[in-house]
mmCIF file of all heavy atoms in Angstrom:
data_model
loop_
_atom_site.group_PDB
_atom_site.id
_atom_site.type_symbol
_atom_site.label_atom_id
_atom_site.label_comp_id
_atom_site.label_asym_id
_atom_site.label_seq_id
_atom_site.Cartn_x
_atom_site.Cartn_y
_atom_site.Cartn_z
ATOM 1 N N ASP B 109 0.943 30.597 -20.867
ATOM 2 C CA ASP B 109 0.539 31.397 -19.737
ATOM 3 C C ASP B 109 -0.502 30.614 -18.922
ATOM 4 O O ASP B 109 -1.326 29.906 -19.493
ATOM 5 C CB ASP B 109 -0.121 32.662 -20.348
ATOM 6 C CG ASP B 109 -0.477 33.661 -19.283
ATOM 7 O OD1 ASP B 109 0.387 34.442 -18.884
ATOM 8 O OD2 ASP B 109 -1.676 33.622 -18.877
ATOM 9 N N PRO B 110 -0.452 30.725 -17.569
ATOM 10 C CA PRO B 110 -1.425 29.955 -16.744
ATOM 11 C C PRO B 110 -2.868 30.132 -17.179
ATOM 12 O O PRO B 110 -3.633 29.154 -17.232
ATOM 13 C CB PRO B 110 -1.205 30.504 -15.329
ATOM 14 C CG PRO B 110 0.187 31.017 -15.331
ATOM 15 C CD PRO B 110 0.486 31.447 -16.734
ATOM 16 N N GLY B 111 -3.267 31.336 -17.488
ATOM 17 C CA GLY B 111 -4.655 31.565 -17.891
ATOM 18 C C GLY B 111 -4.989 30.816 -19.162
ATOM 19 O O GLY B 111 -6.032 30.146 -19.256
ATOM 20 N N VAL B 112 -4.095 30.863 -20.115
ATOM 21 C CA VAL B 112 -4.288 30.141 -21.371
ATOM 22 C C VAL B 112 -4.303 28.631 -21.122
ATOM 23 O O VAL B 112 -5.136 27.885 -21.643
ATOM 24 C CB VAL B 112 -3.207 30.524 -22.379
ATOM 25 C CG1 VAL B 112 -3.338 29.708 -23.680
ATOM 26 C CG2 VAL B 112 -3.256 32.025 -22.685
ATOM 27 N N ALA B 113 -3.375 28.186 -20.281
ATOM 28 C CA ALA B 113 -3.292 26.752 -19.985
ATOM 29 C C ALA B 113 -4.607 26.273 -19.381
ATOM 30 O O ALA B 113 -5.100 25.188 -19.695
ATOM 31 C CB ALA B 113 -2.127 26.491 -19.011
ATOM 32 N N LYS B 114 -5.155 27.076 -18.504
ATOM 33 C CA LYS B 114 -6.424 26.702 -17.851
ATOM 34 C C LYS B 114 -7.524 26.587 -18.908
ATOM 35 O O LYS B 114 -8.276 25.603 -18.913
ATOM 36 C CB LYS B 114 -6.805 27.746 -16.805
ATOM 37 C CG LYS B 114 -7.858 27.273 -15.841
ATOM 38 C CD LYS B 114 -7.833 28.069 -14.548
ATOM 39 C CE LYS B 114 -8.702 27.399 -13.479
ATOM 40 N NZ LYS B 114 -8.651 28.154 -12.223
ATOM 41 N N GLU B 115 -7.603 27.566 -19.751
ATOM 42 C CA GLU B 115 -8.633 27.586 -20.790
ATOM 43 C C GLU B 115 -8.473 26.386 -21.721
ATOM 44 O O GLU B 115 -9.434 25.677 -22.028
ATOM 45 C CB GLU B 115 -8.508 28.915 -21.567
ATOM 46 C CG GLU B 115 -9.726 29.258 -22.384
ATOM 47 C CD GLU B 115 -10.989 29.044 -21.565
ATOM 48 O OE1 GLU B 115 -11.144 29.660 -20.476
ATOM 49 O OE2 GLU B 115 -11.818 28.240 -21.994
ATOM 50 N N LYS B 116 -7.251 26.152 -22.163
ATOM 51 C CA LYS B 116 -6.997 25.064 -23.098
ATOM 52 C C LYS B 116 -7.278 23.697 -22.467
ATOM 53 O O LYS B 116 -7.804 22.803 -23.099
ATOM 54 C CB LYS B 116 -5.532 25.097 -23.557
ATOM 55 C CG LYS B 116 -5.243 26.127 -24.616
ATOM 56 C CD LYS B 116 -3.823 25.889 -25.211
ATOM 57 C CE LYS B 116 -3.486 26.918 -26.267
ATOM 58 N NZ LYS B 116 -2.133 26.715 -26.818
ATOM 59 N N SER B 117 -6.891 23.534 -21.201
ATOM 60 C CA SER B 117 -7.092 22.235 -20.579
ATOM 61 C C SER B 117 -8.586 21.989 -20.368
ATOM 62 O O SER B 117 -9.036 20.856 -20.535
ATOM 63 C CB SER B 117 -6.327 22.125 -19.251
ATOM 64 O OG SER B 117 -6.786 23.070 -18.315
ATOM 65 N N ARG B 118 -9.331 23.032 -20.025
ATOM 66 C CA ARG B 118 -10.772 22.873 -19.842
ATOM 67 C C ARG B 118 -11.421 22.427 -21.144
ATOM 68 O O ARG B 118 -12.236 21.492 -21.171
ATOM 69 C CB ARG B 118 -11.376 24.225 -19.369
ATOM 70 C CG ARG B 118 -12.806 24.096 -18.921
ATOM 71 C CD ARG B 118 -13.284 25.400 -18.334
ATOM 72 N NE ARG B 118 -12.429 25.828 -17.213
ATOM 73 C CZ ARG B 118 -12.568 26.974 -16.561
ATOM 74 N NH1 ARG B 118 -13.521 27.837 -16.893
ATOM 75 N NH2 ARG B 118 -11.747 27.280 -15.588
ATOM 76 N N SER B 119 -11.035 23.089 -22.207
ATOM 77 C CA SER B 119 -11.599 22.750 -23.503
ATOM 78 C C SER B 119 -11.166 21.344 -23.936
ATOM 79 O O SER B 119 -11.961 20.572 -24.469
ATOM 80 C CB SER B 119 -11.173 23.814 -24.502
ATOM 81 O OG SER B 119 -11.165 23.297 -25.800
ATOM 82 N N ALA B 120 -9.921 21.011 -23.672
ATOM 83 C CA ALA B 120 -9.392 19.719 -24.127
ATOM 84 C C ALA B 120 -10.079 18.564 -23.377
ATOM 85 O O ALA B 120 -10.423 17.545 -23.985
ATOM 86 C CB ALA B 120 -7.889 19.662 -23.894
ATOM 87 N N ILE B 121 -10.313 18.728 -22.083
ATOM 88 C CA ILE B 121 -10.915 17.609 -21.351
ATOM 89 C C ILE B 121 -12.333 17.355 -21.839
ATOM 90 O O ILE B 121 -12.772 16.216 -21.953
ATOM 91 C CB ILE B 121 -10.802 17.808 -19.808
ATOM 92 C CG1 ILE B 121 -11.161 16.501 -19.081
ATOM 93 C CG2 ILE B 121 -11.727 18.908 -19.308
ATOM 94 C CD1 ILE B 121 -10.138 15.437 -19.272
ATOM 95 N N GLU B 122 -13.019 18.427 -22.152
ATOM 96 C CA GLU B 122 -14.368 18.259 -22.717
ATOM 97 C C GLU B 122 -14.353 17.491 -24.028
ATOM 98 O O GLU B 122 -15.132 16.557 -24.234
ATOM 99 C CB GLU B 122 -14.995 19.635 -22.964
ATOM 100 C CG GLU B 122 -15.850 20.125 -21.833
ATOM 101 C CD GLU B 122 -16.723 21.287 -22.257
ATOM 102 O OE1 GLU B 122 -17.354 21.210 -23.326
ATOM 103 O OE2 GLU B 122 -16.723 22.300 -21.538
ATOM 104 N N SER B 123 -13.477 17.921 -24.913
ATOM 105 C CA SER B 123 -13.383 17.253 -26.227
ATOM 106 C C SER B 123 -12.995 15.795 -26.050
ATOM 107 O O SER B 123 -13.511 14.910 -26.750
ATOM 108 C CB SER B 123 -12.347 17.947 -27.101
ATOM 109 O OG SER B 123 -12.600 19.322 -27.172
ATOM 110 N N PHE B 124 -12.090 15.552 -25.115
ATOM 111 C CA PHE B 124 -11.635 14.176 -24.912
ATOM 112 C C PHE B 124 -12.775 13.284 -24.404
ATOM 113 O O PHE B 124 -12.994 12.184 -24.918
ATOM 114 C CB PHE B 124 -10.471 14.205 -23.897
ATOM 115 C CG PHE B 124 -9.935 12.864 -23.559
ATOM 116 C CD1 PHE B 124 -9.231 12.117 -24.516
ATOM 117 C CD2 PHE B 124 -10.106 12.308 -22.293
ATOM 118 C CE1 PHE B 124 -8.701 10.874 -24.202
ATOM 119 C CE2 PHE B 124 -9.596 11.066 -21.992
ATOM 120 C CZ PHE B 124 -8.888 10.338 -22.941
ATOM 121 N N ILE B 125 -13.464 13.755 -23.381
ATOM 122 C CA ILE B 125 -14.590 12.973 -22.835
ATOM 123 C C ILE B 125 -15.601 12.660 -23.934
ATOM 124 O O ILE B 125 -16.133 11.559 -24.026
ATOM 125 C CB ILE B 125 -15.278 13.752 -21.675
ATOM 126 C CG1 ILE B 125 -14.314 13.946 -20.494
ATOM 127 C CG2 ILE B 125 -16.567 13.048 -21.238
ATOM 128 C CD1 ILE B 125 -14.090 12.775 -19.635
ATOM 129 N N LYS B 126 -15.859 13.647 -24.748
ATOM 130 C CA LYS B 126 -16.879 13.484 -25.802
ATOM 131 C C LYS B 126 -16.496 12.396 -26.770
ATOM 132 O O LYS B 126 -17.358 11.725 -27.344
ATOM 133 C CB LYS B 126 -16.977 14.838 -26.561
ATOM 134 C CG LYS B 126 -18.198 14.896 -27.452
ATOM 135 C CD LYS B 126 -18.347 16.269 -28.066
ATOM 136 C CE LYS B 126 -19.536 16.294 -29.013
ATOM 137 N NZ LYS B 126 -19.642 17.615 -29.676
ATOM 138 N N ARG B 127 -15.213 12.185 -26.982
ATOM 139 C CA ARG B 127 -14.748 11.199 -27.947
ATOM 140 C C ARG B 127 -14.759 9.754 -27.380
ATOM 141 O O ARG B 127 -14.630 8.792 -28.156
ATOM 142 C CB ARG B 127 -13.312 11.527 -28.396
ATOM 143 C CG ARG B 127 -13.242 12.669 -29.371
ATOM 144 C CD ARG B 127 -13.713 12.271 -30.755
ATOM 145 N NE ARG B 127 -12.894 11.174 -31.290
ATOM 146 C CZ ARG B 127 -13.283 10.347 -32.248
ATOM 147 N NH1 ARG B 127 -14.490 10.468 -32.795
ATOM 148 N NH2 ARG B 127 -12.506 9.376 -32.670
ATOM 149 N N LEU B 128 -14.856 9.606 -26.091
ATOM 150 C CA LEU B 128 -14.641 8.278 -25.496
ATOM 151 C C LEU B 128 -15.606 7.201 -25.973
ATOM 152 O O LEU B 128 -15.191 6.052 -26.220
ATOM 153 C CB LEU B 128 -14.620 8.368 -23.966
ATOM 154 C CG LEU B 128 -13.387 9.070 -23.408
ATOM 155 C CD1 LEU B 128 -13.479 9.200 -21.887
ATOM 156 C CD2 LEU B 128 -12.098 8.323 -23.774
ATOM 157 N N PRO B 129 -16.902 7.517 -26.145
ATOM 158 C CA PRO B 129 -17.784 6.438 -26.644
ATOM 159 C C PRO B 129 -17.327 5.921 -28.012
ATOM 160 O O PRO B 129 -17.387 4.703 -28.279
ATOM 161 C CB PRO B 129 -19.138 7.134 -26.753
ATOM 162 C CG PRO B 129 -19.098 8.240 -25.751
ATOM 163 C CD PRO B 129 -17.667 8.732 -25.793
ATOM 164 N N GLU B 130 -16.850 6.834 -28.844
ATOM 165 C CA GLU B 130 -16.372 6.402 -30.169
ATOM 166 C C GLU B 130 -15.125 5.515 -30.028
ATOM 167 O O GLU B 130 -15.007 4.496 -30.716
ATOM 168 C CB GLU B 130 -16.038 7.656 -31.009
ATOM 169 C CG GLU B 130 -15.962 7.419 -32.460
ATOM 170 C CD GLU B 130 -17.176 6.722 -33.026
ATOM 171 O OE1 GLU B 130 -18.323 7.032 -32.571
ATOM 172 O OE2 GLU B 130 -17.017 5.835 -33.876
ATOM 173 N N VAL B 131 -14.249 5.892 -29.143
ATOM 174 C CA VAL B 131 -13.045 5.079 -28.890
ATOM 175 C C VAL B 131 -13.440 3.673 -28.433
ATOM 176 O O VAL B 131 -12.902 2.661 -28.908
ATOM 177 C CB VAL B 131 -12.133 5.741 -27.836
ATOM 178 C CG1 VAL B 131 -11.015 4.834 -27.418
ATOM 179 C CG2 VAL B 131 -11.575 7.069 -28.377
#
Side-chain angles (χ1 to χ4, degrees):
Chain B
D109 185 84
V112 176
K114 196 158 191 179
E115 197 45 58
K116 282 191 181 179
S117 63
R118 191 173 303 176
S119 154
I121 192 69
E122 266 194 47
S123 307
F124 178 69
I125 296 282
K126 193 175 177 183
R127 284 286 301 158
L128 290 177
E130 198 52 39
V131 171

